[in-house]
Amino acid sequence: MLPKLITTLLFCVYAHTLSAQTIAVNQVGFYPSGPKKAIIKDGKPGNFYLIRLPHNDTVFSGKLQGPFVNKYSPHATYLADFSRVNTKGTYRLSANGDTSYAFSIRSSPHNAAAMAAMKGYYLQRASMPLGPTYAGKWQRKAGHPDNHVLIHPSAASPSRPAGTVISSTGGWYDAGDYNKYIVNSGITMGTLLSLYEDFPAYCNKINLNIPESRNQLPDLLDECLYNLRWMLTMQDPADGGVYHKLTNASFDGMVMPHEATKPRYVVQKGTAATLDFAAVTAQAARVYSPFNKKLADSCRTAAIKAWEWAQQHPNVLYKQDDMNKQYQPPVVTGAYGDNMMNDEVGWAAAELYVTTGDEQYRPFIKLLPAQYWPLPSWSQVQLLAYYTLSRKGKLKQEVNPGIIAFADKLLAGSDSTTYQTVMGKQAGDYVWGSSAVAANQGIALLQAYRITRKPIYLDAAISNLDYLMGRNATGYCFLTGFGAKRVMHPHHRVSVADKITGPVPGLLSGGPNPGMQDKCTTYTSKVPDEAFTDDDCSYASNEIAINWNAPLVYLLWAVEALAK
Ligand code: 9MR
Ligand code: 9MR
């Protein structure tokens, strides 16, 4: 009786001081048998207590470990490790006089987040109304029919002179803006189709409650098909080249999609867009083939035509400023300009090689020494090629050791970072879209886990998932609609304009970015891992984007699938 009374009294004191300002923890949940950590910011040595709700029993206590320091932040941290606790329930953690938000230990803790993050793509669909059955309170009218798109002078060709009208409907809006960019669709689709290839049994069972949910195709592939069909319209049928983007001349105001009615253009064909398109359509040809032979054949043909165009035009770079000196109207939306085509060549070649088995693509697949492997991003797709080769058992002797070496490099030193995550070993992780750095590191670790089955890689991937769900220097859960400390004001036109309380759910905020290119005045810190503001002015730290959601979807679905 007495201990209970004491812990209850103690908790009243904790509850009184509940501010959750210093304790960072995954606010979405923990697996009963998985790692469980919380971080105390600016802490001091002492004990921590795990308090079980609703009766406030102290069920576990331990000694804080630390301090942990890093080079780029003045804030030292302490670690509370309660991995040994595996009893399901809802808890708070208390240490150094502060108490955390409530969190739970349960089966499938990330299931709802996993579903929402993929459903986020449905909520980004252009050219169709989103009905209440699927979108709930985020139902909205159709925007951007894109059935009257102009060939920009930069994209003029003999069969399609400037001003020619083409139809290029559908697809996902890129981000907080309403434009559609092939390069960024490239890595996004590659990541989602790879998720399908890595976990087909899990993916086949998922119901996303989208309009196509009742058809034969798995919902993940239905959602991807919505963007794939748009991508296919971006190829010039005359020569196989692919337009870099479909865009307004300048960004829309913060209005709803149906209110954004400026003229739309497709601009200059380019090598990066064409190769990314070739990679995606080649991969789609294999993924969709068991379900829809005709679609698969069209994708395969499109991929080969795109590859051939890129062979003839190996270095047509998208340089927006140069383009604007030559053509009217000037186009000032996202550039996604990339000066290095090697990785796009390698990715397209690998997908074509695996899909067709044709040896002509093999010489274009270059295997970099492992120390030069770069983390995937919209402008760097080399590893997507290696993941595909490894998954399909091609060049396995070369690629698998590289994947393991890359993962080991990510692991090295991650146990001494301030948030005990792989993310954040260096300030350089905090770029525009840093959340995708964390998620893409997670995928790399899961690839090593696929090959070796060593739990250390899975646990490290979960450390970055914990980062995204709240165990980070801002304390935010970066997925809209989730977490106790949640992102409420992303730079996302629909969320700003829809007059609905709460942003569109299932979208991943870009995350800390000390570049602060948006010059918003509400940042409260310049420290790399804290340079974030939950303000809709902040497109540099708090926009959302399809290429950031995709690796999060991968991470969430993979970790859920592996826990089953
Ligand atoms: O809304 C735009 C966002 O999607 C882009 O990521 C960002 C950077 O290109 O630009 C945003 O648009 C801003 C523009 O660059 C400058 N004027 C204000 C616009 C809206 O905040
Ligand atoms: O994610 C892109 C980031 O790497 C660039 O530094 C930044 C500025 O060019 O652009 C980001 O992409 C934006 C795109 O240009 C327009 N749509 C919104 C994207 C996310 O902010």
Side-chain angles (χ1 to χ4, degrees), residues 247-271:
T247 182
N248 304 346
S250 59
F251 285 114
D252 289 301
M254 301 310 261
V255 297
M256 289 299 282
H258 70 276
E259 298 166 326
T261 56
K262 291 184 188 167
R264 305 272 274 180
Y265 300 90
V266 288
V267 302
Q268 185 199 301
K269 291 167 204 165
T271 309

Side-chain angles (χ1 to χ4, degrees), residues 389-424:
L389 293 167
S390 165
R391 170 190 314 129
K392 295 293 175 180
K394 303 264 191 232
L395 314 183
K396 202 158 103 177
Q397 307 308 341
E398 292 87 348
V399 168
N400 285 4
I403 291 179
I404 295 164
F406 186 71
D408 286 341
K409 215 167 117 185
L410 290 173
L411 272 181
S414 60
D415 54 353
S416 52
T417 61
T418 41
Y419 286 79
Q420 298 285 294
T421 57
V422 171
M423 176 65 179

Side-chain angles (χ1 to χ4, degrees), residues 17-34:
T17 58
L18 172 65
S19 62
Q21 291 298 305
T22 62
I23 304 178
V25 63
N26 177 334
Q27 297 154 30
V28 172
F30 294 96
Y31 296 90
S33 59

Side-chain angles (χ1 to χ4, degrees), residues 497-519:
D498 66 7
K499 301 195 176 78
I500 298 165
T501 310
V504 172
L507 304 176
L508 182 63
S509 168
N513 168 19
M516 301 186 282
Q517 292 88 340
D518 47 54
K519 303 195 168 62

Side-chain angles (χ1 to χ4, degrees), residues 174-175 177 181 334-336 378 432 539 543 545 548:
D174 184 57
D177 63 322
Y181 308 79
Y336 289 119
W378 61 261
W432 192 320
Y539 52 78
E543 190 165 349
W548 305 339

